[in-house]
Amino acid sequence: MKRKLLVILGLLMFVTWAYAQQDSVTLQHGAHRIGRRTDADMQWWRDYGLGQFIHFGLYAQLGGEYNGEQYSGASEWIRSWNKLPNAVYDSLYKEFNPVNFDADRWAAMAKQMGARYVTITTRHHDGFCLWPSKYSDYTIVKSSYGKDLIGPLVKAYNKVGIDVYLYYSILDWHSKDWRYQLKTADDTVAFNRFKVFVKNQLTELLTLYPTVKGFWFDGTWDKSWASPSNAPFTDSLEQYLKQIRPGLIAGGRYRVDETGHRHDDANGSLMGDYAQGWERKIPKDYAATKGRDWDCDMTFGENGWGYQKKWLGHWKTTDELLEMMAKCNSLDGNFVLNFGPKADGSFRQEEVDAAREIGDWMKVNNAAIYDTKYNGWEKQDWGYSTISKDGKKAYLMVFNVPVSGKIKVLTDKAQQVGKAYMISAPEKSLPIHPLDYGYNEITIPSQRYSRPFVIVLDIVNGKSETRQENKAKT
Ligand code: FHN
């Protein structure tokens, strides 16, 4: 009997072991960390709340049009349009001359908007470099402008306290060595040269601009880059970049593991420091974020990142953008709004206006966005909430006020609400009426609201009080 039991136990252990083996793949080039980074650089990244994205390049000269025709794709993709000869596009640099580029003005606009970091395209898919790269002859120094744009930008943004990240496309339509797919031995030889070029350029960027905080990689979906055989290179490149710049923050979009998985390795762990998959979309709930660091980059239009002469289709209003920012932050992500400057280096008026309006809102309400985190509440009808890192203040970003003028707020069981007030009038407490099941009814000052607003709840930790008459034993 005892022997039988031992055999069964042994069998059970074997099945459990075999199941566990099946569940996890042994990877040399998968994620090297499970879960979030815990260092100060990453903590600072996590606290940004709001960022600015800038897509600037030769595509701005066309603004989504060629020969009087409108390109229906994203304007920065126009080089791939079969109605536009490559040679025409590749000559645009000769006229590229952003005479109205004023780094201090760009930085001032971002600062006023409340952005704490910026990501700028150093080289988009068209291959044109906005900095004087010694590894390419297709750079801004060869244009009519004739000088570096990234350096002054980094300096100006840093001067006003904004961190700079560099967008870098691995995909390069201009390079003779870049391949979408490696079909022949020659392709492999050429692509190997391309990889050296990428490494050189990334090293060069970190060397030329030592205050840069990290990279936002793009274009890594190609069969060449995403091939399992590229796993050792992408892995060692990330490690190399982090050696030359300790604390560097690299998005999770560019590595591939030896099984061909991108973003997440074959075991479902994120390769990189934050998830880069939330492009023009926002996770529907906290579970969808998998508890990771992430940011969402968002366009004003439905798609299109570079300058577009005609704003066709739907373009987001300031209130819509504020709501997206609130939602992202309530789910522990940063919100990054994209701008597409015109070829002369100025911004279109709609973008300037939106930046100013967002900034006006941020001036009053930024405590709900900066240095806050996911507060564990379920989504509620009135809007979105965040909580301060010490857990003492919950911020309710109210987008919907019911006709009753009262909102019902469901807090966590362990959170007792001490006081509620409008962020703009902290001295005036709002009436709170505790309800059963953890709800508090808060009366909103009766007035016409032209923008969403923030209510602060002072949180007193402890069990929430339930009124005696409600303690029925049901
Ligand atoms: O193809 C690009 C696109 O042009 C733009 O740069 C965006 C920004 O997130 N990234 C790529 C698409 O994922």
Side-chain angles (χ1 to χ4, degrees):
M1 182 66 183
K2 207 174 163 192
R3 245 189 93 193
K4 247 190 188 167
L5 215 72
L6 276 175
V7 172
I8 293 175
L9 209 72
L11 259 172
L12 257 173
M13 278 168 72
F14 175 76
V15 170
T16 317
W17 175 83
Y19 190 74
Q21 295 310 299
Q22 208 192 21
D23 241 22
S24 89
V25 183
T26 307
L27 296 171
Q28 216 186 328
H29 302 294
H32 298 303
R33 184 195 62 248
I34 309 285
R36 293 171 161 208
R37 256 170 70 168
T38 53
D39 57 286
D41 290 303
M42 201 63 209
Q43 184 54 51
W44 179 229
W45 185 94
R46 187 169 295 143
D47 289 344
Y48 287 142
L50 175 62
Q52 180 191 38
F53 214 129
I54 296 179
H55 276 69
F56 191 42
L58 300 181
Y59 37 82
Q61 276 171 254
L62 299 176
E65 289 173 13
Y66 176 63
N67 254 349
E69 266 193 81
Q70 182 80 32
Y71 172 55
S72 63
S75 59
E76 72 284 358
W77 273 71
I78 198 164
R79 188 188 185 276
S80 64
W81 190 19
N82 56 15
K83 293 193 176 172
L84 168 65
N86 286 348
V88 171
Y89 188 93
D90 291 351
S91 300
L92 287 175
Y93 75 95
K94 292 180 191 157
E95 278 89 55
F96 188 65
N97 196 6
V99 282
N100 292 324
F101 167 69
D102 178 340
D104 290 320
R105 264 177 62 190
W106 281 29
M109 180 173 109
K111 184 73 180 172
Q112 192 279 336
M113 180 173 87
R116 280 174 149 186
Y117 69 126
V118 65
T119 303
I120 166 97
T121 47
T122 55
R123 202 200 74 197
H124 203 265
H125 310 332
D126 62 5
F128 182 70
C129 305
L130 285 186
W131 82 100
S133 176
K134 65 175 182 213
Y135 301 102
S136 166
D137 55 6
Y138 194 46
T139 81
I140 194 154
V141 282
K142 296 280 164 66
S143 71
S144 303
Y145 190 60
K147 53 184 184 246
D148 186 16
L149 188 136
I150 299 297
L153 182 139
V154 173
K155 204 164 148 214
Y157 275 71
N158 283 171
K159 202 162 72 189
V160 297
I162 299 180
D163 286 344
V164 179
Y165 290 75
L166 303 180
Y167 167 108
Y168 184 87
S169 169
I170 298 302
L171 188 165
D172 188 332
W173 293 324
H174 184 79
S175 161
K176 287 191 183 62
D177 290 332
W178 169 75
R179 297 285 183 283
Y180 168 72
Q181 195 172 2
L182 307 182
K183 290 186 186 147
T184 64
D186 284 352
D187 286 344
T188 305
V189 171
F191 197 66
N192 282 341
R193 278 197 303 268
F194 180 70
K195 291 197 296 196
V196 173
F197 163 75
V198 166
K199 184 175 176 182
N200 284 338
Q201 283 209 319
L202 294 175
T203 310
E204 181 180 53
L205 284 167
L206 288 183
T207 313
L208 286 175
Y209 315 115
T211 61
V212 157
K213 299 280 180 194
F215 284 113
W216 203 100
F217 291 110
D218 205 1
T220 57
W221 49 78
D222 285 353
K223 289 194 171 152
S224 50
W225 191 268
S227 148
S229 64
N230 206 23
F233 174 74
T234 60
D235 189 5
S236 65
L237 181 57
E238 181 176 333
Q239 294 187 32
Y240 166 76
L241 295 172
K242 285 184 171 172
Q243 262 165 26
I244 55 176
R245 176 65 56 73
L248 186 89
I249 295 176
R253 203 182 250 210
Y254 93 117
R255 274 188 55 200
V256 58
D257 76 7
E258 55 264 53
T259 66
H261 281 75
R262 292 176 55 242
H263 300 254
D264 290 4
D265 69 15
N267 294 315
S269 300
L270 179 71
M271 293 181 284
D273 298 321
Y274 64 96
Q276 259 186 288
W278 301 105
E279 177 179 314
R280 295 185 293 113
K281 58 179 186 272
I282 302 175
K284 80 172 193 320
D285 53 23
Y286 187 68
T289 73
K290 301 183 181 164
R292 292 171 172 174
D293 285 313
W294 61 278
D295 70 3
C296 160
D297 52 323
M298 186 57 68
T299 45
F300 275 95
E302 290 303 88
N303 195 3
W305 301 79
Y307 170 67
Q308 295 181 57
K309 282 188 189 149
K310 290 197 190 92
W311 271 20
L312 302 167
H314 177 68
W315 290 80
K316 295 166 192 86
T317 63
T318 297
D319 285 338
E320 278 177 88
L321 296 167
L322 289 175
E323 182 156 6
M324 289 176 160
M325 173 172 69
K327 184 169 184 190
C328 287
N329 279 270
S330 77
L331 299 174
D332 235 3
N334 292 324
F335 180 69
V336 186
L337 181 59
N338 178 70
F339 291 76
K342 298 183 203 167
D344 70 358
S346 66
F347 289 89
R348 63 180 309 138
Q349 195 54 42
E350 291 90 336
E351 293 184 350
V352 174
D353 292 344
R356 193 191 56 252
E357 288 168 3
I358 292 171
D360 290 346
W361 189 89
M362 285 293 278
K363 219 164 274 155
V364 180
N365 302 294
N366 67 58
I369 300 294
Y370 296 153
D371 311 319
T372 55
K373 56 179 186 170
Y374 169 63
N375 72 4
W377 297 0
E378 63 186 47
K379 166 81 180 81
Q380 300 177 36
D381 293 342
W382 40 263
Y384 307 88
S385 67
T386 53
I387 193 156
S388 59
K389 283 194 281 182
D390 61 8
K392 290 189 176 153
K393 288 191 190 305
Y395 299 98
L396 321 183
M397 294 176 264
V398 181
F399 287 78
N400 309 305
V401 180
V403 285
S404 66
K406 297 169 200 295
I407 58 167
K408 289 196 172 80
V409 182
L410 178 60
T411 59
D412 190 87
K413 278 202 191 80
Q415 296 171 326
Q416 215 182 307
V417 178
K419 186 180 161 197
Y421 50 92
M422 300 286 280
I423 204 168
S424 50
E427 67 295 338
K428 199 164 174 267
S429 293
L430 302 178
I432 310 177
H433 186 54
L435 306 174
D436 207 354
Y437 295 111
Y439 281 94
N440 283 285
E441 189 185 65
I442 297 174
T443 306
I444 306 292
S446 158
Q447 65 181 71
R448 205 180 165 280
Y449 294 97
S450 54
R451 285 267 182 254
F453 55 90
V454 173
I455 292 176
V456 186
L457 302 187
D458 282 349
I459 300 289
V460 187
N461 281 334
K463 273 224 163 311
S464 40
E465 283 293 300
T466 304
R467 290 166 53 182
Q468 291 302 315
E469 69 267 32
N470 293 337
K471 282 187 176 162
K473 297 249 185 273
T474 49

